[in-house]
Amino acid sequence: LAKTTQPISMDSYEGQEVNITCSHNNIATNDYITWYQQFPSQGPRFIIQGYKTKVTNEVASLFIPADRKSSTLSLPRVSLSDTAVYYCLVAGSGGSYIPTFGRGTSLIVHP
Amino acid sequence: GAVVSQHPSWVICKSGTSVKIECRSLDFQATTMFWYRQFPKQSLMLMATSNEGSKATYEQGVEKDKFLINHASLTLSTLTVTSAHPEDSSFYICSARKGQLGGELFFGEGSRLTVL
């Protein structure tokens, strides 16, 4: 069961790029890395998922080094509406899937 | 993306009563759903894994007789908080897994339970 570690909080300003790193030293071969965003009193929302190297979609990029023991979520040009809690989830495929969340990172974007 | 819906979004009940929360996957079949609870400013805590057609698997420390889970169809799982007490007040969130490889989770909107 991979355990994740993230910074508890981060501050940024509108228009800046934000990088949030998650450590998962015990990641297993069949584990995928998924990042979620959560606003208060809402369920988490999928941002991006990857297995290795780099993944990019319309809202974010995910960088995963070769050893896969960490991952970095990159949010380009954040806005006030990106203020939220961000979670990285490391979980495997098939029958070993137990989606346990870590503490998450509270990102505050300032004007 | 896929849609998971929870109902009710909020509920207030008296101590000692039971409350049922529904979780539906609207556009895909989910053999596995997950139930979480979340206290203010804390992370999501996995309570149990709901398996269609079989008993739920509860995480350590979660009372199965207190939190009854039923997954009677491929699109519906229910969580019943029995004999609710004020300490059960929390934000309950369900999720459903679409597909197997990669295991992307889709979450419901959450249900806020307040026990008076």
Side-chain angles (χ1 to χ4, degrees), chain A residues 32 36 38 41-44 46 49 87 89 92-94 97-99 101-103, chain B residues 34 36 38 42-44 46 91 93 97 100-105 107-109 112:
Chain A
Y32 280 74
Y36 292 88
Q38 187 184 27
S41 296
Q42 295 186 26
F46 172 87
Q49 183 182 70
Y87 295 96
L89 174 67
S93 60
Y97 190 80
I98 304 175
F101 284 82
R103 297 182 64 179
Chain B
F34 304 91
Y36 297 84
Q38 186 175 35
Q42 293 188 22
S43 182
L44 291 81
L46 180 65
F91 191 55
I93 309 170
R97 186 182 179 194
Q100 293 293 312
L101 188 64
E104 182 179 339
L105 286 181
F107 287 84
E109 311 94 324
R112 174 75 60 190

Side-chain angles (χ1 to χ4, degrees), chain B residues 21-94:
Chain B
I21 301 171
E22 294 185 346
C23 178
R24 295 180 184 273
S25 56
L26 298 183
D27 54 357
F28 67 101
Q29 294 183 331
T31 56
T32 305
M33 292 184 176
F34 304 91
W35 286 95
Y36 297 84
R37 67 187 299 183
Q38 186 175 35
F39 293 108
K41 298 190 182 300
Q42 293 188 22
S43 182
L44 291 81
M45 185 194 81
L46 180 65
M47 299 175 66
T49 301
S50 173
N51 304 297
E52 187 269 334
S54 64
K55 292 183 179 180
T57 303
Y58 290 82
E59 295 298 304
Q60 189 174 9
V62 178
E63 299 177 60
K64 62 180 181 180
D65 296 328
K66 173 76 172 178
F67 300 98
L68 301 179
I69 292 173
N70 183 274
H71 194 156
S73 77
L74 289 172
T75 59
L76 174 64
S77 175
T78 61
L79 168 68
T80 301
V81 183
T82 63
S83 186
H85 288 91
E87 58 265 29
D88 298 323
S89 299
S90 188
F91 191 55
Y92 292 87
I93 309 170
C94 74

Side-chain angles (χ1 to χ4, degrees), chain A residues 13-16 76-83 107-110:
Chain A
Y13 292 88
E14 284 189 291
Q16 289 188 336
R77 299 179 298 281
V78 294
S79 63
L80 297 177
S81 62
D82 292 317
T83 294
L107 172 66
I108 298 176
V109 180
H110 303 275

Side-chain angles (χ1 to χ4, degrees), chain A residues 1-8 10 19-27 31-38 44-51 61-65 68-75 84-92 97-107, chain B residues 36 38 43-44 102-105 107:
Chain A
L1 192 65
K3 180 179 179 179
T4 61
T5 304
Q6 302 174 231
I8 294 176
M10 295 182 68
N19 296 307
I20 306 174
T21 297
C22 179
S23 297
H24 28 81
N25 293 317
N26 298 321
I27 189 169
D31 284 341
Y32 280 74
I33 301 159
T34 312
W35 284 80
Y36 292 88
Q37 176 191 57
Q38 187 184 27
R45 186 172 68 106
F46 172 87
I47 301 173
I48 197 166
Q49 183 182 70
Y51 183 80
S61 294
L62 178 59
F63 299 92
I64 305 170
R68 301 200 331 120
K69 294 186 177 184
S70 66
S71 59
T72 299
L73 173 72
S74 181
L75 304 172
V85 179
Y86 293 82
Y87 295 96
C88 74
L89 174 67
V90 176
Y97 190 80
I98 304 175
T100 304
F101 284 82
R103 297 182 64 179
T105 298
S106 176
L107 172 66
Chain B
Y36 297 84
Q38 186 175 35
S43 182
L44 291 81
E104 182 179 339
L105 286 181
F107 287 84

